[in-house]
Amino acid sequence: MSSSKPTTSPVSVPEAVVNRLSMYLRELQHVVAAGKPTTSSSQLGRRLGFTDAQVRKDLAHFGHFGHPGIGYRCQELIDAIRCILGTDRQWKVALVGVGNLGRALLGYRGFDPQGFEIVAAFDAELSKVGNEIESVPIYDIARLREVVSAKQVELGMVAVPAEHAQAVADQLVEAGVTGIVNFAPVTLKVPEGISKVGVDLARELEQVTFAVANRLRSAEHGAELDQTEATKTGS
Amino acid sequence: MSSSKPTTSPVSVPEAVVNRLSMYLRELQHVVAAGKPTTSSSQLGRRLGFTDAQVRKDLAHFGHFGHPGIGYRCQELIDAIRCILGTDRQWKVALVGVGNLGRALLGYRGFDPQGFEIVAAFDAELSKVGNEIESVPIYDIARLREVVSAKQVELGMVAVPAEHAQAVADQLVEAGVTGIVNFAPVTLKVPEGISKVGVDLARELEQVTFAVANRLRSAEHGAELDQTEATKTGS
């Protein structure tokens, strides 16, 4: 028996699984773009450096997606994963902070195809206000509540200096966003019922140095290299 | 019995644990900066939105760090985590691609305190070559191998457009780096023994929408809100 509908009941799955769902989604989109209608857990895994068992186990959290003798129908699995991730529709996003990082985020090509549209940007520096970057209008941060509400923004990206991040997050929550992605190097407090993810760029480097240091320790101990450490995350 | 030395034998731990180690490290650094010499798993957990059991379980992968009647000595635990993460020394980093994102990375204040020094940047656009940004010299990408070798660079950050990312990664590996952090929206192939982490900014947003969508599904099903989903990642 196979079913292409994801389980819609609430599921509690590890963060790392959700992370890998995003990676499967991107890979499936590449496969479709290459004109192939179907794929398999081993093909998908090989492209990303995971075992086929890992791919099947991750997807099994949400339902049964394979078809006997066929494997996965790519578009069907794409639709299912987008439904699971909540990106089977567009999300309106506001960016706060138009410094170098904010500008990079406005220019980032990866958001739109995945269902994220930055509809407004905010900055406290009045010389930036009134301009557009990548067709996104920049507003005075004093107007955050009004604009977020008028444009029905649901998600906020915080790209301001650490000392302003909590105040900005508070304003976003008051204005009605339901989720925040924080790029400032500080831990934000948000009320219950608001989702948040922190992006700490040094943390990504530490994942790499951990793997390198671990490999050196393995070598010192004469142990086999742990391949799963060497290639544990894709991209 | 408690020991402040981390286990130095090779360990295979989930990526999410390594991620949380980085978060504990940042929080401990804040506690020390606030003048407090000791802390506890419950204090540490509360600040980051984790249970004390989670903190203890994560650290138990690497050794025993608590002292009866005292808790954690912050500086001791900081030193141990840095040793585990491999950041008990400075790492020399090269950045490839000096667009908006590259410029944001050069201006990012979070790398240096954690042990990462960007010592060289590369770009193919000759108008950028010869300049410095944030005291980092920008070189012609044609000189990548020579400069990486001369400056003994160990890690590379790839911030070029997707279509150039694999070629850049290949050059970095040839030049001798042992780890790569990739910001381009593409899956890189690297040889065995080279560590890589992919930073996909849309993935961070998808973590948030997954939590929001999950909460909506929970509400529809009349289930209790899953607090661990709402605040599952810190910062």
Side-chain angles (χ1 to χ4, degrees), chain B:
Chain B
M1 279 296 289
S2 70
S3 149
S4 61
K5 275 276 176 193
T7 309
T8 51
S9 59
V11 281
S12 185
V13 295
E15 194 183 321
V17 174
V18 182
N19 223 316
R20 284 195 293 271
L21 279 189
S22 295
M23 296 167 69
Y24 301 148
L25 175 58
R26 292 306 176 270
E27 199 52 46
L28 287 161
Q29 289 168 328
H30 291 150
V31 174
V32 163
K36 293 180 202 141
T38 63
T39 187
S40 65
S41 53
S42 57
Q43 276 175 13
L44 211 48
R46 194 166 52 239
R47 296 281 295 261
L48 294 165
F50 303 130
T51 63
D52 52 341
Q54 177 78 72
V55 175
R56 284 195 301 270
K57 192 180 159 202
D58 286 342
L59 294 173
H61 279 101
F62 306 98
H64 301 280
F65 303 105
H67 299 276
I70 296 174
Y72 301 120
R73 293 196 175 103
C74 294
Q75 192 55 54
E76 187 181 279
L77 189 51
I78 287 172
D79 294 345
I81 294 179
R82 295 193 83 136
C83 178
I84 294 163
L85 291 174
T87 56
D88 48 347
R89 62 176 185 88
Q90 286 286 117
W91 291 76
K92 291 185 180 173
V93 182
L95 168 75
V96 188
V98 189
N100 281 319
L101 181 59
R103 246 182 271 265
L105 293 170
L106 288 171
Y108 190 71
R109 301 280 151 79
F111 292 138
D112 199 62
Q114 305 310 330
F116 301 104
E117 189 193 358
I118 303 180
V119 296
F122 298 90
D123 205 281
E125 216 173 277
L126 295 184
S127 65
K128 294 176 184 169
V129 169
N131 296 324
E132 287 193 354
I133 296 181
E134 305 276 339
S135 309
V136 178
I138 302 170
Y139 298 95
D140 183 350
I141 195 162
R143 293 183 57 201
L144 189 138
R145 191 167 182 168
E146 167 207 340
V147 175
V148 162
S149 169
K151 294 197 175 231
Q152 300 181 292
V153 169
E154 298 160 287
L155 303 176
M157 289 198 291
V158 177
V160 299
E163 60 269 31
H164 301 306
Q166 184 63 56
V168 163
D170 293 346
Q171 282 177 273
L172 282 166
V173 169
E174 254 183 62
V177 305
T178 52
I180 291 178
V181 177
N182 175 34
F183 289 88
V186 64
T187 302
L188 295 183
K189 298 215 176 300
V190 296
E192 278 177 22
I194 305 293
S195 304
K196 62 164 178 166
V197 165
V199 182
D200 177 340
L201 297 173
R203 216 191 285 161
E204 312 288 348
L205 283 168
E206 284 164 347
Q207 293 264 343
V208 169
T209 57
F210 172 79
V212 173
N214 224 14
R215 212 164 43 234
L216 294 175
R217 283 193 280 260
S218 296
E220 276 169 19
H221 286 250
E224 292 268 75
L225 294 186
D226 184 351
Q227 303 305 344
T228 59
E229 286 304 321
T231 58
K232 63 185 175 175
T233 27
S235 303

Side-chain angles (χ1 to χ4, degrees), chain A residues 89-94 148 152-156 176-180:
Chain A
R89 63 176 184 87
Q90 285 287 117
W91 291 76
K92 291 185 181 173
V93 182
V148 162
Q152 300 181 291
V153 168
E154 298 161 288
L155 303 176
V177 306
T178 52
I180 291 178

Side-chain angles (χ1 to χ4, degrees), chain A residues 19 22 195 203 206 214-215, chain B residues 19 22 195 203 206 215:
Chain A
N19 223 318
S22 295
S195 304
R203 217 192 286 159
E206 284 165 347
N214 223 16
R215 214 166 39 237
Chain B
N19 223 316
S22 295
S195 304
R203 216 191 285 161
E206 284 164 347
R215 212 164 43 234

Side-chain angles (χ1 to χ4, degrees), chain A residues 50-94:
Chain A
F50 303 130
T51 63
D52 52 342
Q54 178 77 72
V55 175
R56 285 194 302 271
K57 191 180 159 202
D58 287 342
L59 293 174
H61 279 101
F62 306 98
H64 300 280
F65 304 104
H67 298 276
I70 295 173
Y72 300 119
R73 294 197 175 104
C74 294
Q75 193 56 53
E76 187 181 278
L77 189 52
I78 287 172
D79 294 345
I81 293 179
R82 295 193 83 137
C83 179
I84 295 163
L85 291 174
T87 56
D88 47 349
R89 63 176 184 87
Q90 285 287 117
W91 291 76
K92 291 185 181 173
V93 182

